[in-house]
Amino acid sequence: MGNLNYDFSGRSVIVTGAARGIGFELGSFFANAGAQTYMVDVDGDELQDAAKRAGGVAVVADVSSTADVQAAVNTV
């Protein structure tokens, strides 16, 4: 994101698909910018590792499941 400085301190962010790819990169970005970052993915093992590397909180959920989404929101 260039040389721009972003400050998301005091903010919470939920990123889905966060175990890899663009979701992981966004989770890392927001966590590094000071946000409390909740990283959501259905792949629990990979998500745990990704959240640890990014500095976020892992929330295992299948976003195609209403019950999983409600549980994730309750966690956040």
Side-chain angles (χ1 to χ4, degrees):
M1 302 241 165
N3 292 330
L4 300 175
N5 292 317
Y6 293 94
D7 183 7
F8 286 90
S9 299
R11 309 258 179 153
S12 295
V13 176
I14 300 171
V15 179
T16 60
R20 65 189 72 77
I22 293 170
F24 172 76
E25 294 300 328
L26 285 171
S28 296
F29 168 78
F30 284 114
N32 289 327
Q36 177 66 45
T37 305
Y38 297 92
M39 299 174 70
V40 180
D41 202 286
V42 69
D43 186 342
D45 292 335
E46 193 165 347
L47 177 62
Q48 293 295 332
D49 178 58
K52 185 176 179 179
R53 288 184 290 129
V57 177
V59 180
V60 179
D62 179 350
V63 297
S64 70
S65 163
T66 302
D68 275 14
V69 170
Q70 186 59 56
V73 168
N74 291 341
T75 297
V76 171

